[in-house]
Amino acid sequence: MQNQRSTVVGQLLYKNSFDCIQKVFRNEGFLGFYRGIGPQLIGVAPEKAIKLTVNDLVRGRATDPETGRITLPWEIIAGGSAGACQVVFTNPLEIVKIRLQVQGEAAKLEGAAPRGAIHIIRQLGLLGLYKGATACLARDVPFSAIYFPAYAHLKKDVFGEGYHGKKLTFGEMLMSAAIAGMPAAYLATPADVIKTRLQVEARKGQSTYKGLFDCAQKIWREEGFRAFFKGGPARVVRSSPQFGFTLVAYEYLQTYIPYPFGEQPKKLETLLTSGGPDDMSRVRARNALKILLDVHGDFGKKVSPGGGPAGFASPGAGAAISPGEAK
């Protein structure tokens, strides 16, 4: 849907997402929905590993060690950094996947023979695999910057993770991850449309684009603002469950499988997450008393005129007593 040009006569194949589903099934069969799945399966593991690891790494560095809290700007930076780092794997996968997926459309319009992923990789070359990388960054950085903070706040503020030691159930964790993916996927759709236009091969009569801004200007001029959100609902339907199950699997793997190198970092216990019976006033009073006791070990004991605690004779006191006084 994102690649069809409404200004070219005969190019408007699909009216909406449901029309697209019906026509793909009718023209290409059930397997048509799985075009381009090979590159996706190969690269999805390293792509998600980079994204999730970088997000956790930056969040860990930016979290206050005393309170266990992280500010919203740092949450956004952590998510955006994760999205930027994954592009090294995402862009080659995306361009191969997209070109495989539009082959059914090209076959219907032009009678072109479908080609495999190896042919596309050889045709593009190493540098060609990173065509549209700027648009890929423009999509993945905002997506992750929205997604990870939303996921963290849904878990903590909506479902109450950590309060009085509460642990989320599978359903609550899945809901948090799935809901967070909805706004992130839809708001990143304009960058995804631009990326798709840059990465597919332009056919006869279609506009060609020199870069990110040239593509955005031509789409706006030729097709209007609504064109930037083509395929938006379909992206939500795909991304929401995809990232929902990905994050749930990641959380459970972190819980039950130890880190392969070194010791697993200890979870930071704070007053809110420990679930202890003490409230804040008692904790502060106990800490204040401990400080006072550490200042002077004899705190509260009566001091004699000689400088020592009461009940203990000073070193010279015994020699000053006369025999008469001892009687």
Side-chain angles (χ1 to χ4, degrees):
M1 288 190 64
Q2 292 177 340
N3 186 48
Q4 62 180 355
R5 324 294 170 92
S6 56
T7 57
V8 181
V9 177
Q11 289 289 311
L12 194 62
L13 294 177
Y14 314 117
K15 298 175 183 177
N16 50 52
S17 298
F18 296 104
D19 182 55
C20 179
I21 293 170
Q22 292 174 354
K23 289 181 178 177
V24 168
F25 183 75
R26 184 169 61 246
N27 297 329
E28 304 175 49
F30 181 73
L31 293 179
F33 293 110
Y34 290 90
R35 283 187 182 273
I37 195 173
Q40 192 77 356
L41 289 174
I42 292 170
V44 69
E47 174 196 329
K48 293 297 184 288
I50 291 172
K51 179 196 286 277
L52 296 169
T53 301
V54 171
N55 177 69
D56 279 358
L57 180 64
V58 178
R59 286 182 69 94
R61 296 289 184 183
T63 300
D64 189 330
E66 294 183 0
T67 63
R69 296 180 183 274
I70 180 173
T71 60
L72 182 60
W74 273 111
E75 288 185 293
I76 295 171
I77 291 170
S81 302
C85 291
Q86 76 170 47
V87 172
V88 66
F89 272 98
T90 303
N91 204 81
L93 296 174
E94 288 283 321
I95 192 168
V96 175
K97 180 191 74 173
I98 286 170
R99 294 200 175 192
L100 286 171
Q101 289 175 340
V102 299
Q103 284 184 359
E105 179 184 327
K108 181 172 177 62
L109 291 172
E110 303 171 2
R115 295 170 179 176
I118 301 299
H119 174 84
I120 293 172
I121 293 169
R122 287 176 179 171
Q123 181 186 29
L124 288 169
L126 181 61
L127 292 178
L129 289 172
Y130 287 92
K131 184 178 181 180
T134 308
C136 198
L137 275 170
R139 180 197 66 175
D140 290 345
V141 170
F143 178 93
S144 298
I146 295 169
Y147 180 77
F148 285 111
Y151 172 62
H153 283 277
L154 280 166
K155 288 198 303 178
K156 183 180 69 174
D157 300 332
V158 176
F159 294 103
E161 183 186 38
Y163 288 97
H164 304 294
K166 178 185 176 181
K167 293 183 179 180
L168 298 188
T169 63
F170 177 87
E172 290 173 330
M173 201 177 295
L174 181 62
M175 285 283 288
S176 300
I179 293 170
M182 293 177 182
Y186 192 77
L187 293 174
T189 300
D192 194 50
V193 171
I194 294 171
K195 180 193 68 66
T196 300
R197 296 290 182 90
L198 289 172
Q199 291 181 337
V200 297
E201 290 183 279
R203 294 194 292 273
K204 186 177 180 180
Q206 292 182 339
S207 298
T208 56
Y209 309 111
K210 298 176 183 178
L212 178 70
F213 295 105
D214 179 61
C215 181
Q217 288 174 355
K218 287 181 177 177
I219 292 173
W220 177 281
R221 186 171 60 249
E222 295 173 2
E223 304 174 56
F225 178 76
R226 292 183 62 184
F228 288 108
F229 288 90
K230 283 184 177 180
R235 274 180 52 80
V236 171
V237 171
R238 186 205 69 173
S239 296
S240 178
Q242 176 192 1
F243 280 89
F245 284 104
T246 298
L247 263 293
V248 170
Y250 180 69
E251 296 275 10
Y252 275 95
L253 285 172
Q254 278 190 314
T255 303
Y256 295 111
I257 299 180
Y259 286 103
F261 304 105
E263 295 183 356
Q264 186 172 359
K266 294 181 179 179
K267 256 191 172 179
L268 184 66
E269 290 289 342
T270 65
L271 185 63
L272 293 175
T273 61
S274 61
D278 292 331
D279 58 12
M280 184 63 78
S281 60
R282 290 183 180 180
V283 172
R284 287 174 177 169
R286 185 172 63 241
N287 290 341
L289 181 59
K290 184 178 178 183
I291 292 170
L292 289 173
L293 292 173
D294 288 343
V295 169
H296 198 291
D298 297 324
F299 181 79
K301 294 182 180 179
K302 185 177 180 181
V303 180
S304 66
F312 294 91
S314 60
I321 300 173
S322 63
E325 290 174 342
K327 293 178 182 179

